[in-house]
Amino acid sequence: PQDLDPEQIMRAKITYLEGYAWDSSTAKETCELAAKIAKQAGRKVAITLSDHNLVNRHRESFLNFIKDNSNIVFANENEILALCKTSSLDSALDSIQSVCEIVIVTLSEKGSIILTPSARIHIPAERVLNVVDSTGAGDFYAAGFLFGLTQKHSLEMCGNLASLCGAHVIQYLGARPDE
């Protein structure tokens, strides 16, 4: 926590947090402090759930954090099913839809779904001819979405940018594409 730069957080339009931090009490405390600083400054907080096993270990803590501190949640299908304790995607979407401002669920080659309390927007997957490595796909997806959001694009455009970014990185080995 002492390594946070409150001024930087207060300047950021969106503070993006990794769910992996929940496996370390110090890292989790740091995320909670960062969210508090962002929230007090009137800024947005986004979190990615990171891994369905992680969600199973910290379900209640994640739900509380999302309800109290998050504006935006990123999850893949397995993570959202684990969070909502269900095997039905429709049931999970119904239960999470009104929990925070925006919930984005990635569905691999089936695209993604953007949820707000009043809308569901399906974003088709970008066509990829040669999947090399899925490392970084979720983070690149989130980067595209958050870029679009900070540029005041529509949620549909944010989703399309995100889909394009996620599709791009999986065509390379590792999380850093050559282009």
Side-chain angles (χ1 to χ4, degrees):
Q2 68 274 7
D3 293 329
L4 286 179
D5 180 350
E7 294 297 320
Q8 187 176 31
I9 294 169
M10 288 187 282
R11 282 191 311 270
K13 291 179 183 176
I14 302 169
T15 297
Y16 180 68
L17 305 172
E18 285 281 349
Y20 286 122
W22 262 242
D23 268 346
S24 160
S25 59
T26 303
K28 179 180 176 245
E29 178 186 343
T30 304
C31 286
E32 291 170 337
L33 178 58
K36 180 180 177 184
I37 293 167
K39 197 171 177 180
Q40 287 175 343
R43 303 303 191 171
K44 305 270 186 202
V45 175
I47 186 168
T48 179
L49 297 183
S50 302
D51 177 77
H52 73 279
N53 290 316
L54 181 80
V55 174
N56 285 327
R57 288 192 299 275
H58 304 286
R59 179 181 297 107
E60 290 307 314
S61 180
F62 275 129
L63 281 170
N64 290 332
F65 184 85
I66 290 166
K67 288 175 187 172
D68 297 339
N69 298 299
S70 293
N71 304 94
I72 305 160
V73 175
F74 291 93
N76 67 27
E77 185 172 1
N78 290 331
E79 293 159 1
I80 208 69
L81 293 173
L83 185 69
C84 298
K85 276 184 111 173
T86 183
S87 59
S88 163
L89 181 59
D90 286 333
S91 176
L93 297 176
D94 288 343
S95 69
I96 200 70
Q97 185 162 0
S98 62
V99 171
C100 74
E101 194 177 320
I102 304 169
V103 178
I104 303 102
V105 180
T106 59
L107 305 168
S108 196
E109 69 278 353
K110 295 178 283 184
S112 58
I113 298 173
I114 302 168
L115 303 168
T116 70
S118 61
R120 284 188 188 189
I121 304 165
H122 179 263
I123 303 297
E126 288 289 319
R127 187 166 176 232
V128 176
L129 297 177
N130 187 28
V131 176
V132 175
D133 182 5
S134 65
T135 304
D139 288 328
F140 266 71
Y141 182 99
F145 189 91
L146 295 174
F147 170 79
L149 201 58
T150 62
Q151 301 306 302
K152 299 183 182 344
H153 290 300
S154 69
L155 291 179
E156 185 174 1
M157 174 61 84
C158 293
N160 287 326
L161 286 168
S163 187
L164 184 64
C165 289
H168 182 72
V169 74
I170 65 175
Q171 297 177 68
Y172 296 90
L173 185 61
R176 296 187 178 169
D178 294 338
E179 337 177 307

